[in-house]
Amino acid sequence: MDTRVEPSPSSEEPLPAAFAPLVEEYARHLRLQRGLSPHTVRAYSGDVLGLLRHLQRLGLDSLDGVTVRALRSWLAREQTRGQARSTLQRRSAAVRVFFTWAQATGRVATNPAAGLRSPRKERSLPPHLAQAEAVAMLERAGPSPTGAANPAMVEAVGPRRLAIERRNAALLETLYATGVRVSELCGLDLDDVDTQRRLVRVVGKGDKERSVPVGVPALRAIERWLQEGRPVLEAGASGAAVFLGERGQRIDPRV
């Protein structure tokens, strides 16, 4: 087992003369010229101090001998010490800013950090509803989205309230069945719904069009909305929009 302990800052050897004033001068630049917050100044200054310590361990005593390979070795060392990817990204940014400043102020002839890339950001799947949560959400949307509205139901809740509940149920059923974006769902036109092939045609980012399969429960909910809800809310501004707001216009994704 490796029992070596990283020395604390107080037990480190003094920085080489060319390195010693750099951290404070860089911090002053961040505060006065870049206007960064005290927290960011401390973080960036600490990152640069850690880099200079690493360069010292490599036997370097001036910035002129620093290469992008030396910078990468520092980031690799930090990664092996268990630093989070977000921390490594911040340290990469701090080093790039530092060497840009050092070159602009004549402290180094070339910028070795120009070719330094930040570690890629971790990508994770978005959170999703459990089946029980989805069922509960659909039940709260109103009466059964697939059951026909009888006169007693219409009289009890009112035609507009029933129409809105039909719409909300169809929206939720379609979102759950297809996984499309809310903006894509709100942008559906009547001819985008293909009940025969069980598809909806959506236009996404970059105006890219794609067809998405949709399940039978969602199609039934859409049909109920189109038959019993949409005619109640329909107005001159409705156009070909599938889903309408309370004033009859295409529903806003922010609703």
Side-chain angles (χ1 to χ4, degrees):
M1 178 183 297
D2 188 353
T3 58
R4 290 176 297 176
V5 178
E6 288 292 331
S8 64
S10 59
S11 65
E12 292 273 13
E13 294 182 6
L15 288 172
F19 288 169
L22 290 177
V23 176
E24 181 54 39
E25 292 172 359
Y26 176 59
R28 188 181 304 114
H29 162 73
L30 296 177
R31 285 194 305 269
L32 301 181
Q33 297 185 32
R34 293 181 66 93
L36 299 183
S37 69
H39 175 77
T40 303
V41 171
R42 284 194 301 271
Y44 273 32
S45 299
D47 293 339
V48 169
L49 177 59
L51 170 65
L52 296 178
R53 294 289 187 195
H54 179 73
L55 297 177
Q56 182 182 23
R57 286 190 289 269
L58 294 180
L60 298 172
D61 57 6
S62 74
L63 295 182
D64 288 326
V66 179
T67 64
V68 68
R69 184 175 181 179
L71 301 181
R72 288 171 180 159
S73 72
W74 174 60
L75 291 176
R77 182 174 184 271
E78 293 297 292
Q79 185 175 21
T80 60
R81 295 176 63 193
Q83 297 294 346
R85 190 165 299 189
S86 58
T87 300
L88 297 177
Q89 289 177 322
R90 189 202 69 214
R91 290 185 175 171
S92 297
V95 168
R96 285 195 297 270
V97 173
F98 171 73
F99 276 101
T100 298
W101 164 78
Q103 185 180 33
T105 55
R107 290 172 170 83
V108 66
T110 59
N111 183 355
L116 185 66
R117 294 185 178 181
S118 297
R120 290 186 177 181
K121 187 177 181 180
E122 290 180 321
R123 302 181 68 180
S124 58
L125 293 174
H128 62 278
L129 293 176
Q131 183 176 359
E133 294 173 321
V135 170
M137 178 183 66
L138 294 172
E139 289 177 347
R140 287 196 298 269
S144 171
T146 58
N150 55 56
M153 180 187 297
V154 175
E155 184 177 355
V157 301
R160 291 188 65 83
R161 173 67 182 276
L162 181 63
I164 292 171
E165 290 180 347
R166 289 296 194 203
R167 181 202 65 194
N168 292 346
L171 283 167
L172 292 174
E173 285 278 3
T174 309
L175 279 174
Y176 183 62
T178 63
V180 299
R181 299 180 180 90
V182 172
S183 59
E184 294 172 341
L185 184 62
C186 294
L188 285 178
D189 286 336
L190 293 172
D191 60 0
D192 291 329
V193 181
D194 188 338
T195 56
Q196 297 299 317
R197 296 194 298 163
R198 298 179 183 174
L199 296 172
V200 291
R201 184 175 63 242
V202 298
V203 179
K205 292 183 177 180
D207 289 332
K208 292 183 179 179
E209 185 179 291
R210 69 186 191 281
S211 293
V212 183
V214 58
V216 172
L219 283 175
R220 288 176 179 169
I222 292 174
E223 289 173 350
R224 287 297 181 193
W225 151 246
L226 294 178
Q227 293 168 6
E228 301 173 1
R230 191 179 185 279
V232 177
L233 300 182
E234 190 173 9
S238 299
V242 172
F243 295 107
L244 307 178
E246 293 190 36
R247 296 183 179 180
Q249 77 282 16
R250 183 185 298 274
I251 192 170
D252 192 306
R254 295 169 295 181
V255 171

